[in-house]
Amino acid sequence: MTSPHVLTIDSLVTQIYESQDNLSHGAAQIGQKYIDKVLENQAEATIILATGNSQLQFLDILIASQKIDWSRINLLHLDEYLGIEGDNSASFRFYLHERVEKRIHPKSFNYLIGDALEPIEECDRYTKLLKQYPIDLCCLGVGINGHLAFNEPQVANFDDPHWVKIVQLDQQTRWVQVRQGHFKTFEQVPQYALTVTIPTILSSKKIICLAPGENKAETIKQMLQGAISPECPASILRQHSDTTLFLDEKSAKLL
């Protein structure tokens, strides 16, 4: 595999690979080595996972390597649609159960319950879990509108007092879910979601962020060359002390 081109913008290390395949292998290798290092120094580790198409190959490689002692890993995830059932194929619980949990045996897998009867209580429950399991590694993607998790530009708060909250989804985000085939119609996409907040993400000791594809090029340009602002929530990663952004040549083409 050809070595990536490396840029450092503010505190953010950016690696640019020839292809999404190389990007996924590079990110998985760095993630696996970091987890091994963490487990050398502590009894267990916590990883918070993203979902979405950008994560598929990365997760497959990470799991297939069989180099991680998952029995010492506590897993959480970033977000979930409000009101959606866990057996709905569009839910992130379903995605993670099928693609991750069924293939490994983690110490714990802690899901955000989208169809909880009391969503605010669910936010509180998940907040307690996040406080119980400080995040060693956060795996992220970047939305077309620059969102991290479901911290959309109109609701992202870099000084958010909440760890987990309920947000209204941007129309652009909802349309992406239709185009990717997760829902048949725009009306079927939930209007609201539960999400961990920006400060929660930034509390992670290390962040790996994957953003491949030509459709992310404009967003990446704004993220890296524009102002650090909630208008592009992902721009805040430039201030995190240990984040690596993984791009392919298509997503980096405007840099």
Side-chain angles (χ1 to χ4, degrees):
M1 185 173 71
T2 306
S3 297
H5 178 60
V6 179
L7 302 172
T8 301
I9 299 171
D10 297 320
S11 297
L12 178 60
V13 177
T14 301
Q15 297 191 359
I16 303 171
Y17 291 80
E18 290 182 345
S19 66
Q20 183 171 349
D21 182 68
N22 287 351
L23 175 159
S24 298
H25 278 87
Q29 185 177 58
I30 287 175
Q32 178 254 311
K33 287 181 178 179
Y34 174 74
I35 295 164
D36 286 348
K37 185 177 178 182
V38 170
L39 291 176
E40 287 177 5
N41 298 301
Q42 56 195 59
E44 57 190 63
T46 298
I47 304 174
I48 189 164
L49 296 175
T51 54
N53 292 348
S54 68
Q55 307 294 312
L56 294 173
Q57 190 176 29
F58 162 71
L59 289 171
D60 282 343
I61 295 166
L62 200 63
I63 293 167
S65 73
Q66 298 184 336
K67 294 179 179 179
I68 296 172
D69 183 358
W70 293 102
S71 70
R72 297 168 63 192
I73 306 292
N74 299 298
L75 292 167
L76 298 96
H77 63 119
L78 289 168
D79 44 20
E80 182 58 283
Y81 296 111
L82 183 63
I84 200 165
E85 297 177 348
D87 59 358
N88 187 315
S89 62
S91 79
F92 300 143
R93 278 183 287 169
F94 184 88
Y95 175 115
L96 290 168
H97 178 72
E98 294 296 312
R99 298 183 180 279
V100 180
E101 189 180 13
K102 285 174 69 171
R103 300 166 62 187
I104 61 173
H105 300 284
K107 183 176 178 64
S108 68
F109 208 124
N110 305 279
Y111 290 102
L112 261 170
I113 310 302
D115 58 342
L117 295 178
E118 298 184 73
I120 294 174
E121 289 295 322
E122 176 62 7
C123 291
D124 290 343
R125 182 189 72 86
Y126 218 66
T127 294
K128 290 174 183 174
L129 281 171
L130 288 160
K131 290 180 178 180
Q132 179 182 350
Y133 300 119
I135 304 163
D136 293 294
L137 175 64
C138 178
C139 303
L140 283 176
V142 177
I144 291 291
N145 61 1
H147 73 205
L148 298 177
F150 274 141
N151 293 283
E152 310 280 37
Q154 68 270 27
V155 298
N157 180 354
F158 292 168
D159 299 307
D160 208 311
H162 303 289
W163 288 58
V164 185
K165 66 181 181 180
I166 300 169
V167 296
Q168 186 173 30
L169 297 178
D170 189 276
Q171 287 202 7
Q172 190 175 20
T173 295
R174 294 174 67 202
W175 274 116
V176 167
Q177 301 305 311
V178 177
R179 287 195 292 271
Q180 292 183 350
H182 303 302
F183 296 91
K184 291 182 179 179
T185 68
F186 178 79
E187 290 71 26
Q188 289 178 342
V189 185
Q191 294 186 48
Y192 292 88
L194 300 95
T195 185
V196 301
T197 61
I198 296 291
T200 305
I201 291 169
L202 296 179
S203 74
S204 307
K205 294 173 189 172
K206 184 175 184 64
I207 297 172
I208 287 177
C209 184
L210 284 68
E214 189 170 7
N215 64 337
K216 298 287 175 70
E218 285 284 354
T219 304
I220 295 303
K221 181 180 180 181
Q222 184 182 0
M223 174 185 175
L224 299 183
Q225 298 180 350
I228 297 176
S229 162
E231 291 183 13
C232 180
S235 63
I236 194 62
L237 295 180
R238 286 157 51 187
Q239 294 184 348
H240 189 264
S241 61
D242 190 358
T243 294
T244 305
L245 174 66
F246 294 84
L247 306 177
D248 60 7
E249 290 184 350
K250 292 178 179 180
S251 58
K253 71 175 189 176
L254 299 180
L255 299 179

